[in-house]
Amino acid sequence: MQADALFQHTEGDNSERFCRHPPPPHPQMLPASLWDPPPVRSGPPSPSWEKPGFCCQSLSQHAVGTDPPAERTGQRQNRGMRTRLGCLSHKSDSYNDFTAILPDKPNRALKRLSTEEATRWADSFDVLLSHKYGLAAFRAFLKTEFSEENLEFWLACEDFKKTRSAAKLASKAQRIFEEFIDVQAPREVNIDFQTRELTRRNMQEPSLSCFDQAQGKVHSLMEKDSYPRFLRSKIYTDLLSQTQRRLS
């Protein structure tokens, strides 16, 4: 008997057993029910996975656990992050960025700003903040680092201390707290939990000093972190070069 035989006979038994791959049954041996045409389906249309055009692509559209609103939110966040990173990559951190937001026109400002004045900005952080053009240059630098909320909060506190109307005091304090101090505020500043909670308690009875501790923390953060980087930035060094060339 050859090895690739399809049937094997056993002794004392006239029946045949399949050994490897039996041939398909003869059509006449199939039950009659299998030869009948499939019944016509009535009622609602078949699900998409029963339609002839269903494929792997349509399966991915019916993936279990897909949340279309959440997916769209994630796409918007990704686009926002790409836009933010794109803006960062295009920021030149240069003298031109500074002149674009000067209080006066750039040419007029350069005529008024002397090299001696710009050099004094390096004496101390408070000297820089007290100078109109120094403040503008520092704000331009913070924008390149996306941390201008620290300076805006400090300036808001300085303006708040000048409030003389008791009727406006509470409303101004609440606006500052909601914009800069509260958790997930639009321009939340980086302060510790204890300072945040102390400021929150101060909101119960607002006073001109209710933001003093938070303002001091932010001032110290800018002085120790942002200010040294500003003095090494192209905004500041290019500005010094421009004033020196104007005098030469």
Side-chain angles (χ1 to χ4, degrees):
M1 174 97 38
Q2 297 181 355
D4 56 350
L6 297 178
F7 298 93
Q8 178 180 357
H9 294 273
T10 57
E11 207 172 3
D13 187 1
N14 294 330
S15 63
E16 295 176 340
R17 294 183 302 168
F18 295 109
C19 291
R20 289 188 178 180
H21 303 288
H26 194 276
Q28 295 180 356
M29 299 175 61
L30 295 174
S33 60
L34 297 181
W35 288 97
D36 295 333
V40 178
R41 184 186 296 272
S42 61
S46 302
S48 58
W49 56 81
E50 294 184 9
K51 295 180 180 179
F54 177 72
C55 60
C56 295
Q57 182 178 1
S58 60
L59 178 62
S60 63
Q61 297 173 355
H62 295 83
V64 178
T66 301
D67 187 356
E71 183 178 352
R72 288 193 296 270
T73 301
Q75 292 174 353
R76 286 195 298 269
Q77 291 175 347
N78 291 336
R79 286 196 298 269
M81 180 61 69
R82 287 195 298 270
T83 301
R84 187 180 181 90
L85 293 177
C87 293
L88 178 61
S89 64
H90 285 87
K91 283 190 177 293
S92 61
D93 185 24
S94 68
Y95 161 79
N96 290 331
D97 292 333
F98 159 64
T99 57
I101 63 168
L102 278 172
D104 298 327
K105 293 181 179 180
N107 292 335
R108 184 186 306 171
L110 287 179
K111 292 179 181 179
R112 295 180 177 181
L113 179 63
S114 67
T115 304
E116 183 181 0
E117 287 178 313
T119 303
R120 281 203 300 266
W121 297 350
D123 291 346
S124 72
F125 184 48
D126 290 330
V127 170
L128 173 70
L129 295 181
S130 64
H131 196 279
K132 178 172 60 174
Y133 298 140
L135 184 64
F138 187 58
R139 176 185 278 132
F141 169 74
L142 292 180
K143 285 181 178 294
T144 67
E145 295 195 337
F146 298 104
S147 59
E148 66 270 21
E149 69 276 356
N150 293 324
L151 181 60
E152 298 300 335
F153 170 68
W154 186 86
L155 292 173
C157 291
E158 290 295 293
D159 179 71
F160 175 76
K161 293 175 183 178
K162 301 174 184 178
T163 305
R164 295 293 176 261
S165 172
K168 295 180 180 180
L169 190 68
S171 60
K172 290 181 68 173
Q174 189 63 32
R175 283 198 302 269
I176 294 175
F177 182 84
E178 292 176 354
E179 185 173 1
F180 297 103
I181 301 296
D182 203 5
V183 178
Q184 296 182 348
R187 294 194 285 178
E188 182 181 358
V189 294
N190 185 17
I191 56 177
D192 57 89
F193 175 79
Q194 290 78 8
T195 303
R196 190 187 311 278
E197 291 306 305
L198 173 63
T199 308
R200 189 188 304 277
R201 290 193 296 271
N202 291 342
M203 290 297 97
Q204 298 175 4
E205 295 181 4
S207 65
L208 294 178
S209 61
C210 62
F211 294 110
D212 281 358
Q213 183 167 344
Q215 185 186 17
K217 295 280 186 178
V218 171
H219 181 280
S220 178
L221 176 64
M222 291 190 295
E223 184 177 23
K224 295 178 181 178
D225 185 32
S226 303
Y227 175 57
R229 290 200 304 273
F230 164 75
L231 296 178
R232 298 190 300 267
S233 68
K234 284 182 62 62
I235 286 181
Y236 182 56
T237 56
D238 287 355
L239 179 63
L240 285 176
S241 299
Q242 287 287 334
T243 57
Q244 291 168 357
R245 282 199 295 268
R246 181 172 54 84
L247 295 176
S248 60

